[in-house]
Amino acid sequence: MKPESSALPRRASPLLPVILITASGTLTLGGYEMVRSAAASIFLNHYSADRLPEALVLVPPAMFLLTWIFSVVLRRIGPRATYLSTLVLSGLVLTAATEAVRGRVPGAPYALYVFAQAYIVLIVEQVWAFINSRIRPGEGKRWNGPIIAASTLGSICGGLVTGKLSVGLGSERLVIIAAVLTAASSVLGWLAFHLPGPQPRPRKNEPARFSDHFAWDLLRNHPTIRRLAWMVMAQQAVSVLLDIAFHRALQQAMPLQDPRTAFLGYFWAVVNLFSLVLQLGVCPWLLSRTSLRNVHATVPLLYGSVALAAVFFPLLSILGAAFFLSKTVDYSVFRAAKEVLYIPLSFQARYRAKMTVDALIYRSTKGVVSAALSIAGRSVGFLPLRLYPLLAVIVCAGWNRSTRGL
């Protein structure tokens, strides 16, 4: 894969800006672990788990709007101010949504759950866009695992804090703490952008059309971006199928909100701890010795094998193991291998196409799949639990085929 002519000039960049932006992302991800568990538990306290697909249906329009706003703001104030604004505004929205839940405002648990799904991908993808603008592909193969590992430490701490404090403080207060952490991480982001090094800058005429805000031309015509989009759609489809199945089984086993929040906090802490092991022990070795095509082709085969076990044994332990594996590999090997593909590309690809693929498509796929499941559930009346992992197996087969040609 050859660099495009519009890519930024490459040179050896100081590591400190990458460390600082990673630290900013780490603090944000620590807060997100609190938000993710608390928002899901708050939602389940107000509604049945069978209504999770209805909430996820709202994610695509929310992501479409936020992606468009991101592109407009990016053009007007640049990557640095856009990133800092995203952090501060996310903290404010999380606080407002939580206060609305406390005030029993109708629909507030929906709003909190949907925003929790959306805000973190906008932040994480901006962090990676900055990193991909500073390093070379060879450096990405060596550093992406440790970079993700550093961020995972924040996620582990956030999960442990959630497990320890959710019963005593309550789920709503955890979200407020997370909002403060998110806004505070803007200080580290400001320092990263102010250090010397190649700064990501768009062309003056970008974007010229509405479709350019989403880099649709690259999605249609660029083979790497197109395959990335297909892989992300498949990965998210599998994730949401296993997610819903896991939470359905969990709600039956643990009906009380705060103990369930504590369990989810520990669950995500273990997910992130295992991911950390993969990031530090597997990613640098694997990406340096195995072709990206083989790595990306193996991931869906691994997911499909575990999902197939859940088809035959749709128990909480098996569904939890399948969901656990899908998340640990997603947070380590899949993410590290995927980011290397972006490094040689242009600003338009690294920022706008990436935001469309890894934020809009990433989260919208979740909503589209959830909408299909919701419609099917209303039509049939009840979807058997083993159907979800069965559909995941089918998606994994198509996902594996989409990796050909990388």
Side-chain angles (χ1 to χ4, degrees):
M1 181 174 55
K2 296 181 179 180
E4 294 182 14
S5 59
S6 55
L8 286 172
R10 297 296 182 203
R11 64 176 180 83
S13 302
L15 191 57
L16 185 55
V18 174
I19 292 175
L20 287 171
I21 201 72
T22 300
S24 176
T26 297
L27 196 60
T28 303
L29 285 168
Y32 170 64
E33 289 303 321
M34 302 180 199
V35 173
R36 169 162 55 181
S37 298
S41 193
I42 289 170
F43 184 91
L44 293 175
N45 194 53
H46 289 79
Y47 309 104
S48 165
D50 291 331
R51 297 188 67 179
L52 274 173
E54 297 177 8
L56 293 173
V57 168
L58 300 176
V59 174
M63 283 307 311
F64 185 88
L65 177 62
L66 290 174
T67 303
W68 176 76
I69 292 173
F70 163 80
S71 182
V72 172
V73 174
L74 179 67
R75 181 181 184 180
R76 294 185 178 180
I77 65 177
R80 179 182 63 190
T82 300
Y83 178 66
L84 302 181
S85 300
T86 304
L87 293 171
V88 174
L89 290 175
S90 294
L92 292 175
V93 173
L94 287 171
T95 301
T98 304
E99 290 302 321
V101 170
R102 284 175 167 176
R104 300 186 179 277
V105 176
Y110 269 94
L112 177 61
Y113 186 83
V114 170
F115 188 73
Q117 296 291 319
Y119 87 97
I120 190 62
V121 290
L122 291 175
I123 295 171
V124 169
E125 299 315 322
Q126 288 182 75
V127 169
W128 276 108
F130 177 88
I131 293 172
N132 292 338
S133 299
R134 292 282 184 133
I135 64 177
R136 299 184 176 98
E139 294 170 332
K141 290 182 178 182
R142 296 193 305 271
W143 297 351
N144 280 2
I147 288 171
I148 300 172
S151 300
T152 300
L153 289 175
S155 299
I156 292 172
C157 293
L160 292 175
V161 168
T162 301
K164 287 286 187 181
L165 301 182
S166 58
V167 175
L169 291 180
S171 300
E172 291 82 3
R173 288 181 180 175
L174 283 180
V175 180
I176 300 297
I177 294 173
V180 173
L181 290 176
T182 302
S185 67
S186 61
V187 176
L188 294 168
W190 183 88
L191 291 173
F193 274 96
H194 273 76
L195 288 173
Q199 295 294 331
R201 300 182 190 280
R203 292 177 176 175
K204 293 183 179 180
N205 62 341
E206 290 182 352
R209 300 166 298 175
F210 178 78
S211 62
D212 291 341
H213 287 288
F214 305 94
W216 292 127
D217 287 344
L218 285 175
L219 284 171
R220 290 195 304 267
N221 302 320
H222 197 291
T224 300
I225 297 297
R226 188 168 62 247
R227 287 190 179 93
L228 279 165
W230 281 111
M231 289 190 296
V232 166
M233 282 191 285
Q235 188 277 330
Q236 271 301 95
V238 172
S239 178
V240 71
L241 288 166
L242 297 179
D243 189 344
I244 293 174
F246 169 65
H247 279 91
R248 271 184 55 177
L250 179 63
Q251 187 181 39
Q252 295 175 359
M254 303 184 69
L256 298 179
Q257 173 181 290
D258 290 336
R260 186 172 57 239
T261 299
F263 172 83
L264 287 171
Y266 286 123
F267 175 85
W268 288 114
V270 175
V271 165
N272 289 311
L273 182 61
F274 193 75
S275 299
L276 181 65
V277 174
L278 293 178
Q279 291 153 6
L280 291 175
V282 175
C283 286
W285 177 86
L286 184 65
L287 295 181
S288 298
R289 291 166 174 79
T290 308
S291 70
L292 290 176
R293 186 262 181 266
N294 288 337
V295 172
H296 282 292
T298 303
V299 171
L301 296 179
L302 181 62
Y303 285 12
S305 299
V306 183
L308 186 61
V311 174
F312 292 102
F313 304 99
L315 307 172
L316 175 60
S317 57
I318 305 298
L319 290 167
F323 187 51
F324 174 89
L325 182 64
S326 72
K327 287 300 181 183
T328 54
V329 175
D330 177 26
Y331 294 164
S332 56
V333 176
F334 180 69
R335 162 67 81 169
K338 176 169 65 73
E339 292 302 329
V340 175
L341 298 174
Y342 282 106
I343 293 174
L345 306 184
S346 66
F347 179 94
Q348 181 79 339
R350 281 182 278 110
Y351 269 84
R352 291 194 172 89
K354 179 174 175 57
M355 194 61 68
T356 297
V357 171
D358 292 336
L360 177 57
I361 292 177
Y362 180 86
R363 284 301 196 223
S364 295
T365 300
K366 201 169 187 177
V368 171
V369 173
S370 298
L373 293 172
S374 181
I375 293 171
R378 289 180 180 275
S379 301
V380 176
F382 180 78
L383 297 179
L385 194 57
R386 69 177 73 242
L387 175 64
Y388 297 94
L390 176 60
L391 292 174
V393 172
I394 296 172
V395 173
C396 284
W399 178 1
N400 176 263
R401 289 182 61 86
S402 72
T403 62
R404 297 179 181 178
L406 280 176

